[in-house]
Amino acid sequence: MRTKSIEATLRDAERPSTRLARSLGPLQLTMMGIGVTIGGGIFVLTGTAAANYAGPAIAVSFALGALTSGLVALCYMEFASTVPVAGSAYTFAYVSLGELAAWLIGWDLILDMTMGAGAVASGWSQYVADFLASFGVHLPASVAGPEAVVNVPAVLIILVLTAVLASGVRTTSRINTAMTLVKLAAILIFLCVGVFHIHTANWAPFVPDSQPPGGDGGVWEQPLLGWAGISTNATFGFAGILTGGAIVFGAYSGFDIMASSAEEAKRPQRTLPIALMATVVVCATLYVAVALVVTGMDHYTHLDNAAPVTAALKAVGADWAVRVVGIGAICGLTTVVMIMLLGQSRVFLAMSRDRLLPEWYSRVHPVTRSPRRITWTLGLLVAFMTAVLPIQDLAELGNIGMLTSFIAVCVGVMYLRRARPELRRGFRTPWVPFLPVVALLLCLLLVGSLPLITWARFLGWMAVGLLIYVLWGRRHSRVATGELAADGSDGEEGPDEEGGDGGHGQGGPDEAAPPVTTEPAPEPGGARS
C-alpha cells in the first residue's frame, strides 16, 4: 500500500511554488464555515426535501444530519490539527489508507463540491428571479430557474465568483464575512416574522405515512436499503426521514471545506478545532429552527420549489419580508457557492502536488498565492454542470460524494491511532474507536438511503476516476516515481516557476507551518482521550 508520510506532506505545503498563504484566524475560518454551511440547506433544500421525502419531520432529518456531522467533525478535528495542509479527506486518506484510497476520495470530493456548488447556484438563480419579480422584473423561465434550458444567472454567478477566488484568499474571506453577516441577519428576521404565522395544523401529521417512491423512475427511485430489503419506502415515514437526512446532509459540508483550507489557517492546531465545532453547533441550531418555522407557515406539499423560505413568506402575505430575506438569501447562497469552489480547488491542488493530476495545476500565483489555473479550470466545469443538470440531481450526487469521504475519515482516524500512536496531535478525537464507529454507521445509514439512480451515477463517476488513476496517476505520482523515499524525504525545491522568489507573498514570514514532531504527546485531559 503506497502511503505518503505526514512529514513529507507538511514539507510539500511549504514548497515555494505551491505554498498557500496562512492568513485565516478563528473568526475568519468560523465565518467561512458558517458562510458555506448556512445557505443551500435553509434556502433551497428545506422545501424540496420536506415536500418529497420527510414532510414537517424534515426538522428531524436536519437533527440527524447534525448528529452525524458533529461526530464526523470530531474525527476531522484530529486529522486537520495534525496534518494542517490543503486537501481535507484526500490528504488524510493518503497518510493513513494509501494512494489508491486517497485518489478515490479526492475524485469523490471533486464530485461532492462540484455538484454541491452547482445545486446551490441553481437555487441562487431562483431567489434572484423571485427578488426581481417582487419589483415587477420577470426573467424568462427558459433562462432562469429550475425549468430553464440553460440557467444563465447560475452560470454567471459561478464565473464571477471564480474570478473573486482567483484574486486570493484574503479578498475571498472579506467578501464572505460581509455576506455571511447579512445572511444571518436575514435568517433572524425570517424567524421573528415566521413564528407569528405558524399554524400547527401544517405540522399534522408531523411524520406523513409512508408512500411508494413517486416519479417515473420506478425501481431507480428506491433507496439502496429498500432494494436490499431493509427498507421499502423512500418517501415519508421513517425511511423518508432517513432519505431527507441523506439529501440535506450536504447542508453540513462546511466543516469539510474548512478542513480543506487548513493550510491557510494561522495556528491551525488551535484554530481548526474551535472553528469546526462552532460551525456545527451554530448551523445545526439555525437549520432545525428554520425547518420548523417554514413547515409551520405553509403546508409541506406547497414547498417543492427552489426558494421555499420566500415562498412561505409570500403565502402569509409578508411581502416586505420577502424582499429583505431575499437579499439575505442571495448573499447567503453566494457565499456557499464561493466557498465550495474554494474547497474543491484546494483538494485539486493537493492531488496535483502529489502528481496524481498534472503538476502544472499546482503552481500558485507569486503575488496572490492563489492556484489560479485550478480555480478557473474547475469554475468552468461547475458552470457547465450547472447549465445541464437539474438541482435535485446535483444535490444528491454531491451528498453521496461527501458521505463517502466522511466514511474514509472515520476509518482513517482509527487506523492512524494504531499505525502512529506516538504522533503529536493538536486535537484527539474522544472515545476512539467507539465514536468513529458510531459516526461510520450513521454515514452508512444515510448513504444507503439515497436512491439507486444516484448510486449508479456515483459509481459511473468513480469508474472514470479509477480509469484516470490507472492511465496517469499510478505511474506519475511522486511516490510511484520514487521522488519520495520510504521515510518521506524528498529533494529540495527549485526556484518558483511562476517567477516568484519563494517568499511568503500575502502570508508574511510568520505563517510557516509548525514543525513536525513525533515525540509522545503529553497525557490528555478534559475532552481528549
Side-chain angles (χ1 to χ4, degrees):
M1 180 175 66
R2 297 175 180 171
T3 58
K4 183 181 180 183
S5 75
I6 292 175
E7 291 78 7
T9 301
L10 291 170
R11 278 196 300 274
D12 273 355
E14 289 302 305
R15 293 166 67 195
S17 61
T18 63
R19 185 186 54 78
L20 300 173
R22 290 196 182 275
S23 55
L24 301 176
L27 177 61
Q28 291 94 336
L29 201 58
T30 300
M31 293 301 287
M32 187 175 289
I34 294 174
V36 70
T37 304
I38 295 294
I42 281 182
F43 295 119
V44 179
L45 296 179
T46 303
T48 56
N52 296 313
Y53 297 104
I58 190 62
V60 180
S61 298
F62 274 117
L64 177 62
L67 173 63
T68 306
S69 64
L71 295 177
V72 175
L74 290 172
C75 297
Y76 263 85
M77 281 190 243
E78 177 164 327
F79 263 127
S81 63
T82 306
V83 195
V85 301
S88 186
Y90 159 78
T91 299
F92 307 156
Y94 212 151
V95 300
S96 58
L97 304 179
E99 184 176 277
L100 177 59
W103 164 263
L104 292 175
I105 293 301
W107 188 247
D108 172 49
L109 283 171
I110 292 174
L111 172 71
D112 161 29
M113 296 177 192
T114 298
M115 298 299 110
V120 179
S122 296
W124 181 92
S125 175
Q126 183 64 55
Y127 272 98
V128 168
D130 287 353
F131 180 73
L132 293 176
S134 69
F135 292 96
V137 179
H138 299 277
L139 298 179
S142 59
V143 299
E147 305 300 324
V149 178
V150 175
N151 200 330
V152 175
V155 171
L156 289 177
I157 190 60
I158 289 170
L159 295 178
V160 169
L161 292 178
T162 298
V164 171
L165 291 170
S167 67
V169 72
R170 284 190 174 181
T171 301
T172 302
S173 176
R174 289 166 182 161
I175 293 174
N176 171 74
T177 298
M179 288 192 171
T180 298
L181 291 174
V182 173
K183 169 170 54 179
L184 292 176
I187 291 172
L188 293 177
I189 291 173
F190 168 74
L191 292 175
C192 291
V193 172
V195 73
F196 294 104
H197 294 279
I198 290 176
H199 300 283
T200 54
N202 288 330
W203 288 337
F206 191 74
V207 182
D209 293 335
S210 297
Q211 300 175 14
D216 300 325
V219 68
W220 290 105
E221 295 298 331
Q222 292 188 27
L224 182 66
L225 292 177
W227 181 81
I230 298 174
S231 172
T232 57
N233 293 285
T235 306
F236 306 120
F238 177 70
I241 293 174
L242 291 179
T243 303
I247 289 172
V248 303
F249 191 78
Y252 293 100
S253 64
F255 66 85
D256 175 73
I257 295 173
M258 291 163 69
S260 72
S261 301
E263 189 176 323
E264 293 157 285
K266 301 174 182 177
R267 299 179 62 193
Q269 286 82 358
R270 174 180 177 273
T271 298
L272 284 164
I274 293 173
L276 284 165
M277 193 49 66
T279 296
V280 172
V281 171
V282 170
C283 295
T285 302
L286 291 176
Y287 273 133
V288 173
V290 170
L292 289 172
V293 171
V294 76
T295 54
M297 292 175 65
D298 199 7
H299 198 266
Y300 70 90
T301 56
H302 301 155
L303 296 174
D304 190 11
N305 62 78
V309 171
T310 52
L313 290 171
K314 286 179 183 178
V316 299
D319 293 335
W320 69 270
V322 170
R323 295 178 180 177
V324 174
V325 175
I327 293 174
I330 291 169
C331 289
L333 296 178
T334 301
T335 63
V336 175
V337 177
M338 182 170 63
I339 305 304
M340 280 192 166
L341 292 173
L342 173 73
Q344 70 169 3
S345 69
R346 273 40 179 181
V347 173
F348 205 109
L349 172 67
M351 297 173 76
S352 179
R353 279 176 177 167
D354 295 325
R355 266 195 235 123
L356 288 171
L357 290 170
E359 192 175 20
W360 180 83
Y361 285 109
S362 68
R363 302 296 172 177
V364 301
H365 192 273
V367 176
T368 65
R369 309 307 301 176
S370 63
R372 290 188 174 182
R373 297 171 179 177
I374 294 172
T375 301
W376 278 109
T377 299
L378 293 177
L380 293 173
L381 174 63
V382 175
F384 173 75
M385 300 298 288
T386 304
V388 300
L389 289 178
I391 184 172
Q392 187 159 322
D393 290 346
L394 290 166
E396 291 176 357
L397 277 169
N399 289 349
I400 194 172
M402 180 173 40
L403 283 164
T404 305
S405 67
F406 288 177
I407 290 169
V409 170
C410 294
V411 173
V413 163
M414 293 185 285
Y415 175 82
L416 206 59
R417 281 290 185 93
R418 283 181 168 271
R420 296 290 302 273
E422 83 293 348
L423 188 68
R424 183 178 292 275
R425 292 163 168 84
F427 175 90
R428 294 175 67 88
T429 303
W431 306 315
V432 174
F434 173 74
L435 189 148
V437 168
V438 172
L440 174 66
L441 292 176
L442 287 172
C443 287
L444 290 172
L445 182 65
L446 290 176
V447 79
S449 299
L450 287 168
L452 283 177
I453 185 62
T454 301
W455 274 94
R457 291 167 178 161
F458 173 70
L459 293 176
W461 173 265
M462 298 305 287
V464 172
L466 188 59
L467 181 63
I468 294 174
Y469 174 74
V470 170
L471 296 178
W472 171 271
R474 184 170 62 91
R475 291 179 294 176
H476 291 84
S477 77
R478 296 177 65 217
V479 173
T481 59
E483 185 173 336
L484 290 178
D487 63 355
S489 62
D490 56 359
E492 295 296 325
E493 174 68 11
D496 191 335
E497 292 183 14
E498 291 278 6
D501 59 359
H504 289 269
Q506 291 186 47
D510 61 337
E511 294 168 357
V516 180
T517 177
T518 55
E519 296 175 5
E523 283 299 318
R528 299 172 177 241
S529 66

